[in-house]
Amino acid sequence: MKITKGIDKIIIEQPKDFDVLQTLNCGQIFRFSIDGNSAKVYSMDKCANIYWDSDKIEINTDSVDYFYNFFDLDRDYSQIKKVLSKDKFLSSAVEYGSGIRIINNDAYEIIISFIISANNNIKRIKNSIEYLCRHFGKNMGNYFAFPTLAELKKVSIKQFQEANLGYRAEQMYCTVQRLTEQDIEKLKSAEKDEQYKFLLSLKGVGEKVANCIMLFGLGVKDVFPVDTWINKVYNDLTNSNTTDRKKITQELTARYKDYSGYAQQYFFYYYRDNKISKISR
DNA sequence: GCCCAGGGATGCG
DNA sequence: CGCATCCATGGG
């Protein structure tokens, strides 16, 4: 896998550790569209146009450095997969999602997005976020930027309800009013425990959402978000029937340690994708 | 019409 | 603490 950074594009040749569809479809990002062998991906006010075939991926963007880091291109995933493949629970999931990379997204956008994600389905989450961008974000010409914190501070509870946030509208309003740019900057450089504590203090953020924010927005890899799918996975693998997510989180984090975040994504994608495809997507 | 979705807040014992 | 209940709403 050879990566070349140009002035307005990133070229990846023989991309054996990077599958664009898997990376976009494993539930870590909500702002993208796919059209055949191409995709558009958005983060804050930035955009990348991606094209691929079997032996090449081309990422076209004005923000090369941003998307290089966004797709975690400095990291060697073959080593991660080698370690995780030895785990009897994980081997097939790693093989199935072998092109997944964990995205380094904007912390603030991830906080807002994952508050919306609670007890919600991915299609509806995407619709709500798109609504927020269309109504409150900057018009970039071909697309709308994710609304800045200053822009969201002007949005009322009623307007959040119109974005289909349901009962999360009030939580969102509280958190947006409380958050400052400084909070978010401090959060990035804080200790893991401090990050977790702060995130839990936000309305609409519980243990699972806090772990997602750390994994996808703060670059913390040794966390294991447990949602309904991971709950099912755990019960499947251990032949149990629990809904105690705290216990599941503790056991799986202890099992996968520094690789917890990666393990979680392989599990999530493998189980959810197979379940969904049985129904039809 | 019922169940589910990348759960969280609240109240009660 | 742990546990039960409620919460909006579109999709399947």
Side-chain angles (χ1 to χ4, degrees), chain A residues 106-108 180-190 218:
Chain A
D106 178 83
Y108 154 74
T180 66
E181 299 280 0
Q182 246 182 349
D183 286 336
I184 297 161
E185 283 315 305
K186 266 170 64 184
L187 187 61
K188 291 179 190 170
S189 54
L218 297 173

Side-chain angles (χ1 to χ4, degrees), chain A residues 16-264:
Chain A
K16 74 180 177 65
D17 297 327
F18 188 9
D19 185 303
V20 176
L21 288 179
Q22 290 180 0
T23 299
L24 295 180
N25 280 327
C26 68
Q28 54 181 333
I29 177 169
F30 304 107
R31 294 176 62 214
F32 64 91
S33 62
I34 294 164
D35 181 14
N37 277 4
S38 71
K40 295 179 192 299
V41 179
Y42 309 95
S43 175
M44 290 307 291
D45 59 348
K46 298 169 184 63
C47 172
N49 290 291
I50 308 179
Y51 305 90
W52 65 86
D53 57 34
S54 55
D55 52 24
K56 188 177 170 190
I57 299 172
E58 196 176 311
I59 303 172
N60 297 280
T61 175
D62 292 336
S63 314
V64 167
D65 289 333
Y66 186 85
F67 280 102
Y68 186 91
N69 176 61
F70 186 85
F71 286 114
D72 210 21
L73 291 177
D74 262 339
R75 199 180 306 276
D76 180 11
Y77 278 74
S78 62
Q79 191 269 339
I80 294 167
K81 289 186 285 185
K82 194 173 161 187
V83 172
L84 290 180
S85 295
K86 292 176 189 159
D87 183 85
K88 63 176 177 182
F89 290 164
L90 256 181
S91 55
S92 48
V94 171
E95 191 180 351
Y96 185 77
S98 68
I100 290 175
R101 307 183 76 82
I102 301 212
I103 287 173
N104 297 303
N105 212 331
D106 178 83
Y108 154 74
E109 178 169 339
I110 289 293
I111 292 172
I112 303 301
S113 300
F114 274 86
I115 289 174
I116 298 173
S117 79
N119 196 24
N120 206 342
N121 61 67
I122 290 182
K123 197 164 284 181
R124 202 170 146 227
I125 299 164
K126 289 174 80 166
N127 287 340
S128 289
I129 293 173
E130 195 188 325
Y131 184 99
L132 293 181
C133 295
R134 226 174 332 110
H135 289 259
F136 310 117
K138 185 179 174 192
N139 188 342
M140 304 299 289
N142 301 326
Y143 63 97
F144 288 91
F146 194 84
T148 64
L149 181 56
E151 285 166 339
L152 278 194
K153 277 181 187 293
K154 293 186 256 177
V155 178
S156 66
I157 295 177
K158 192 178 171 189
Q159 285 174 303
F160 281 129
Q161 285 168 341
E162 286 163 3
N164 223 338
L165 296 202
Y167 63 84
R168 307 167 199 84
E170 239 179 290
Q171 303 170 346
M172 184 63 78
Y173 180 81
C174 290
T175 292
V176 165
Q177 293 305 319
R178 206 199 114 183
L179 267 184
T180 66
E181 299 280 0
Q182 246 182 349
D183 286 336
I184 297 161
E185 283 315 305
K186 266 170 64 184
L187 187 61
K188 291 179 190 170
S189 54
E191 295 289 319
K192 185 183 169 189
D193 291 348
E194 283 301 310
Q195 293 176 330
Y196 192 61
K197 210 172 105 184
F198 174 78
L199 290 171
L200 286 184
S201 77
L202 300 175
K203 292 285 181 194
V205 179
E207 295 177 17
K208 186 267 175 184
V209 169
N211 282 326
C212 281
I213 294 170
M214 292 172 73
L215 181 57
F216 305 131
L218 297 173
V220 180
K221 311 297 187 187
D222 54 340
V223 288
F224 206 113
V226 176
D227 70 329
T228 56
W229 293 100
I230 297 295
N231 198 152
K232 289 171 193 163
V233 170
Y234 178 88
N235 284 337
D236 251 28
L237 294 175
T238 63
N239 197 21
S240 51
N241 186 25
T242 180
T243 56
D244 186 348
R245 294 190 180 186
K246 196 166 283 186
K247 175 191 169 192
I248 298 173
T249 306
Q250 281 169 1
E251 280 190 28
L252 295 180
T253 309
R255 183 182 181 99
Y256 297 107
K257 303 186 177 63
D258 288 350
Y259 295 93
S260 291
Y262 305 101
Q264 194 268 3

